[in-house]
Amino acid sequence: MSFTNQLYPLELAFVPDHDPGLVIVSLLFALCGTYTALAILGPIRGATTAFKRGLWLTFGSLALSGGIFGMHFVGMIAYRLPIPVHFATDLTLLSLLPALLSSALMLYLLGIRTPFGRRSNRIMASVVLGVGVAAMDYTAMKAMQLEATMILNPLLFTLALITTPILSTIALNSRPLAQRLEGKFPLFSRFLSPFILAGAIASLHYLMLAATRFFPGG
């Protein structure tokens, strides 16, 4: 993968398309993961023993990382190029590791009690999630095996990296707004934070795809 396309005129790039149904399914994966993970924050904070806290943290980490992993690979199936695309098994499985670690650290930061307040924890958790999703996405794209050269647009690549922590911070700080809306719009208030957080995760993936051009020749 390279950031320069001086040797590759854009008109020579493959023109991809997306399967709209699979794109929606990929977003549902992300939403299920974020909703479950944020719902498990209550039991994590309320756990009376380290064992129970660790158990809930494990469940939440698996749910969130599974949502991230599922969103990415369903999204990759939805992304169609006019050439065969395969995925290296080792890098595909390896890409799950940063998603799992960042999910666990994020939920730990959100679930611990600290005398310094939780705002700093929410910011740190957002950055951790952004780094983890970026590492997972980049590793998974490196797992692609195809007769093409990947060229990245630096501007869109940078936008993809900064969008996730920004939207994650908004999602994790939207609880006061959700509480104010709970009386009139209970369903909306319940899904507000998970929906924004799912958007934060999915935005990196789809912006990364938008930043990537595939040119003929390996």
Side-chain angles (χ1 to χ4, degrees), residues 150-190:
M150 298 185 205
I151 305 294
L152 293 172
N153 180 301
L155 181 60
L156 286 176
F157 179 79
T158 303
L159 182 62
L161 295 183
I162 65 176
T163 299
T164 298
I166 292 175
L167 288 178
S168 298
T169 302
I170 295 174
L172 298 180
N173 285 279
S174 64
R175 183 59 185 165
L177 175 60
Q179 289 176 336
R180 287 198 296 269
L181 297 173
E182 194 168 1
K184 295 182 178 179
F185 309 100
L187 186 62
F188 178 79
S189 64
R190 183 180 301 174

Side-chain angles (χ1 to χ4, degrees), residues 191-206:
F191 279 92
L192 180 61
S193 295
F195 185 82
I196 299 174
L197 193 58
I201 294 169
S203 65
L204 190 145
H205 169 74
Y206 286 104

Side-chain angles (χ1 to χ4, degrees), residues 76-208:
M76 289 308 300
I77 296 172
Y79 184 77
R80 294 176 176 174
L81 289 167
I83 56 174
V85 179
H86 305 281
F87 293 91
T89 304
D90 52 353
L91 285 177
T92 298
L93 295 176
L94 182 64
S95 69
L96 181 58
L97 185 60
L100 183 60
L101 293 178
S102 62
S103 297
L105 184 53
M106 171 190 162
L107 292 177
Y108 173 77
L109 288 170
L110 296 175
I112 62 174
R113 301 181 182 277
T114 168
F116 300 104
R118 294 204 183 102
R119 178 171 295 181
S120 60
N121 282 17
R122 289 194 293 267
I123 294 174
M124 290 174 60
S126 300
V127 173
V128 164
L129 182 65
V131 172
V133 175
M136 182 268 161
D137 200 271
Y138 188 81
T139 305
M141 290 189 70
K142 291 288 286 184
M144 296 177 69
Q145 297 179 327
L146 68 170
E147 288 298 320
T149 299
M150 298 185 205
I151 305 294
L152 293 172
N153 180 301
L155 181 60
L156 286 176
F157 179 79
T158 303
L159 182 62
L161 295 183
I162 65 176
T163 299
T164 298
I166 292 175
L167 288 178
S168 298
T169 302
I170 295 174
L172 298 180
N173 285 279
S174 64
R175 183 59 185 165
L177 175 60
Q179 289 176 336
R180 287 198 296 269
L181 297 173
E182 194 168 1
K184 295 182 178 179
F185 309 100
L187 186 62
F188 178 79
S189 64
R190 183 180 301 174
F191 279 92
L192 180 61
S193 295
F195 185 82
I196 299 174
L197 193 58
I201 294 169
S203 65
L204 190 145
H205 169 74
Y206 286 104
L207 282 172
M208 189 78 80

Side-chain angles (χ1 to χ4, degrees), residues 47-65:
T48 55
T49 65
F51 175 77
K52 290 182 179 180
R53 186 176 297 109
L55 198 59
W56 283 114
L57 185 61
T58 300
F59 289 154
S61 303
L62 290 174
L64 184 54
S65 60

